[in-house]
Amino acid sequence: MNKILIAIFCIGLATAVLAQNSRISRPNIIIIYVDDLGYGDVGCYGARGVETPNVDFMARNGLRFTDAHCTAATCTPSRFSLLTGSYAFRNKAEILPGDAPLLISPGTPTLPAMLQKAGYTTAVIGKWHLGLGNGNLQWNGDIKPGPLEIGFNYSFLVPATLDRVPTVFVENHSVVNLDPKDPIRVNYNKNIGNWPTGLEHPELLKFRADTQHSNTITDGISRIGFMMGGTSALWKDQDIPIVLLEKVNNFIADNRKNPFFLYFSYTDIHVPRDPNPRFKGKSTMGSRGDAISQMDWSTGEVLKVLKKFDLTENTMIIFTSDNGPVLDDGYEDKAEELIGDHKPAGPFRGGKYSAYEAGTRVSTIVYWPSKVKPGISKALVNQVDLFSSLATLTGQKLNSGDAPDSFDLLPAWIGSSQNGRKLMLEESFTLGLRSGNWKYIAPQIQSVPAWLKDKKIETGLTPYPQLYNLQKDVSEEINKAQEYPQKELEMQLLLKKIQQSKGTRPDFDK
Ligand code: NG6
Ligand code: CA
């Protein structure tokens, strides 16, 4: 009798464990993070003047979001949030210079470290812009701490942005192809060598730039910051996507038999836009459009690699961007002149650097053939939530204090629910708040850098509060703050509460 009871108990237990496991799955996960791609910059979101067949393919066969956001209107803060599940204001994350120390201290719970615990091999390939080292960066020696110290097993980086020195790749802890006899020197304050600058030698340039981007010239392009040395290590801008794709191919090939997480962080379509000649003229919009075309090609290549290794079905691709679009970001590349009737921000107001919707509302697609049904989702989702959502997907429990602002919205991300966030912060040079149909923009909180004032950029900063009803006024034209003072006050207080809290995730401190 006892034996029968024990047997029944064991069968019950095994079934429970199986049921639990079947809810947990371990697909490969790839985040394709495009740089500065706007809501309207790809075909499936209404682009004109450039075709994006590969991105459109994923949209047709996956889930396309109409209200998905990065956390901030610039790169470093958005990337910080994606990897830590924390709003960026908590760490005062701002655009970093190219020699800044690592912004995420080792030991901080991160998305890749969480996935490592779930059995994943993790890599970041492409743009980093979260700082490296601990304040005294050794470009010619061991470059650390960096991605390997915060949860990645492999890294191949463009250290900051395309427009910042040093223009070299960093693989794991070292600069690629560096000749020790020709060490790299970098300075962000003064010219430390004798390499020509854009200001003094405009005749050496592929295209001209504003003063901030007119320091040291490498590969015919003047950059922000001064450098000298490391000649054998310098990248060629037109080859970057090809170099990155080779690393992606190798990483996937090496890890095809075990679950992997790849943060593939494109350098397209950020300035300087110098796409490979094979994309010249692919769009009617000059180099910004051609860079979109190159970005789409890279995306198609990722799909091909997955197919080659028979990984298409069981790989979840999250395609998205780190901030909204910008035309003139410092280089004379005719992005404004050639825009035609293309609307980089779609129907939304603003763009990169802006408190208006287009600052953070970006084109976002989840493509996972074996799990996610094709469709469109209106759910309000934010990249900061990927940490918790992917933890649930892979069966990881978050500890108290981890990922302070990351909500588990897995059902929304995979399309089994249309319910997204109820409340969401939008970060720029001020803070915005979304709640239901309402969008509140706090009066300017932070001063803006001088260079931004000279540009034709709609930052959305005002000395008074702004309140918009997005349901009726998606392009944020009619400020309702005076008409609805109660609502304005309510939003102001909700925002203050978030600012004063240590975290907003429901069980953050349990
Ligand atoms: C700004 C740069 C801009 C771009 C941006 C970062 C100037 C005048 N402008 O400081 O060109 O590099 O930083 O872009 O310096 S982001 O996408 O990485 O946030
Ligand atoms: Ca960016």
Side-chain angles (χ1 to χ4, degrees):
M1 184 61 190
N2 261 353
K3 276 188 187 157
I4 294 172
L5 276 181
I6 289 169
I8 291 173
F9 175 76
C10 286
I11 291 168
L13 194 67
T15 320
V17 169
L18 272 179
Q20 173 73 19
N21 281 344
S22 69
R23 256 177 275 137
I24 297 165
S25 60
R26 289 199 302 173
N28 305 306
I29 301 169
I30 301 181
I31 296 180
I32 295 185
Y33 215 50
V34 193
D35 199 0
D36 294 4
L37 186 77
Y39 185 92
D41 273 330
V42 284
C44 50
Y45 284 88
R48 314 287 285 266
V50 62
E51 287 177 0
T52 55
N54 294 299
V55 174
D56 299 354
F57 170 85
M58 290 201 299
R60 255 195 332 276
N61 297 285
L63 188 62
R64 182 169 75 82
F65 289 85
T66 59
D67 205 358
H69 294 250
C70 42
T71 58
T74 51
C75 154
T76 301
S78 286
R79 288 159 199 262
F80 174 82
S81 296
L82 171 74
L83 295 185
T84 61
S86 167
Y87 284 143
F89 78 84
R90 300 194 190 285
N91 202 19
K92 297 200 172 64
E94 289 170 17
I95 302 173
L96 293 179
D99 57 354
L102 181 65
L103 187 64
I104 303 172
S105 6
T108 309
T110 65
L111 170 65
M114 178 279 290
L115 288 171
Q116 278 180 335
K117 282 194 208 134
Y120 281 69
T121 305
T122 60
V124 49
I125 295 175
K127 174 174 172 174
W128 181 239
H129 210 189
L130 286 167
L132 290 168
N134 48 21
N136 176 24
L137 192 54
Q138 301 298 324
W139 291 108
N140 305 295
D142 252 5
I143 301 172
K144 64 182 186 193
L148 302 197
E149 285 67 38
I150 59 163
F152 288 102
N153 296 100
Y154 174 72
S155 68
F156 187 94
L157 310 176
V158 160
T161 54
L162 289 184
D163 55 1
R164 285 177 172 77
V165 298
T167 54
V168 296
F169 297 116
V170 173
E171 187 171 32
N172 296 324
H173 290 143
S174 10
V175 169
V176 179
N177 289 336
L178 181 65
D179 174 0
K181 292 199 274 324
D182 177 26
I184 297 174
R185 283 192 288 148
V186 170
N187 195 301
Y188 269 79
N189 300 314
K190 57 177 198 299
N191 198 351
I192 27 77
N194 56 11
W195 281 13
T197 65
L199 222 46
E200 288 156 9
H201 289 283
E203 77 285 358
L204 300 177
L205 297 174
K206 293 183 193 171
F207 35 80
R208 282 177 175 246
D210 62 15
T211 321
Q212 293 83 3
H213 292 85
S214 288
N215 300 155
T216 302
I217 302 173
T218 63
D219 196 25
I221 301 173
S222 52
R223 323 267 170 172
I224 308 174
F226 300 96
M227 78 172 289
M228 195 180 139
T231 304
S232 56
L234 297 177
W235 73 51
K236 292 224 170 321
D237 287 69
Q238 297 183 347
D239 294 343
I240 292 176
I242 299 163
V243 173
L244 299 184
L245 277 163
E246 192 195 322
K247 303 298 160 192
V248 163
N249 180 70
N250 296 347
F251 174 73
I252 295 181
D254 291 348
N255 292 286
R256 62 188 184 275
K257 300 225 163 74
N258 51 278
F260 63 80
F261 166 61
L262 169 63
Y263 170 37
F264 187 10
S265 175
Y266 290 0
T267 49
D268 284 321
I269 60 168
H270 195 283
V271 295
R273 304 174 185 119
D274 185 22
N276 193 279
R278 73 168 94 159
F279 300 101
K280 197 169 166 45
K282 284 269 176 198
S283 78
T284 58
M285 298 189 284
S287 61
R288 184 173 184 277
D290 296 349
I292 295 178
S293 188
Q294 175 168 273
M295 171 299 286
D296 182 72
W297 170 81
S298 293
T299 306
E301 292 303 297
V302 175
L303 295 176
K304 275 192 205 158
V305 175
L306 291 176
K307 199 167 183 181
K308 179 170 79 183
F309 296 116
D310 200 17
L311 297 171
T312 308
E313 287 295 310
N314 195 34
T315 301
M316 177 189 203
I317 299 182
I318 301 154
F319 172 94
T320 187
S321 173
D322 69 336
N323 52 249
V326 60
L327 297 181
D328 174 7
D329 211 6
Y331 291 89
E332 292 180 15
D333 61 6
K334 297 215 165 48
E336 273 174 353
E337 293 89 323
L338 296 172
I339 195 74
D341 57 359
H342 177 83
K343 302 249 173 314
F348 305 109
R349 186 169 178 184
K352 182 174 181 177
Y353 310 112
S354 176
Y356 294 124
E357 278 298 278
T360 61
R361 199 190 289 216
V362 287
S363 32
T364 301
I365 298 161
V366 172
Y367 173 68
W368 180 9
S370 66
K371 185 88 176 193
V372 172
K373 293 199 192 77
I376 293 178
S377 174
K378 293 195 175 125
L380 178 63
V381 292
N382 192 298
Q383 294 163 8
V384 74
D385 300 325
L386 285 170
F387 193 140
S388 277
S389 306
L390 296 177
T392 301
L393 178 74
T394 56
Q396 294 302 297
K397 254 191 85 60
L398 300 190
N399 295 318
S400 140
D402 289 4
D405 302 295
S406 187
F407 286 53
D408 173 10
L409 288 174
L410 182 64
W413 281 105
I414 59 174
S416 59
S417 161
Q418 288 271 338
N419 296 331
R421 274 180 165 257
K422 297 210 163 47
L423 210 60
M424 187 189 80
L425 199 69
E426 293 182 7
E427 304 193 52
S428 58
F429 291 101
T430 185
L431 294 174
L433 188 71
R434 289 276 309 271
S435 168
N437 295 329
W438 293 101
K439 158 90 174 268
Y440 168 78
I441 302 175
Q444 178 167 359
I445 289 179
Q446 221 183 312
S447 61
V448 299
W451 55 263
L452 197 58
K453 293 187 190 138
D454 310 333
K455 299 238 184 291
K456 277 193 255 150
I457 279 171
E458 207 176 21
T459 53
L461 300 174
T462 50
Y464 47 83
Q466 299 175 68
L467 183 70
Y468 298 99
N469 182 335
L470 291 182
Q471 199 185 29
K472 297 188 183 138
D473 176 24
V474 85
S475 49
E476 294 163 285
E477 302 288 350
I478 312 157
N479 186 359
K480 294 279 187 188
Q482 293 200 342
E483 201 179 319
Y484 294 92
Q486 264 318 102
K487 194 50 152 178
E488 192 266 303
L489 184 65
E490 183 194 317
M491 299 285 277
Q492 192 188 325
L493 294 176
L494 280 169
L495 179 63
K496 194 160 262 154
K497 217 171 132 195
I498 296 177
Q499 279 179 281
Q500 286 168 348
S501 71
K502 290 213 155 56
T504 51
R505 179 162 67 84
D507 37 8
F508 162 70
D509 46 10
K510 302 236 166 66

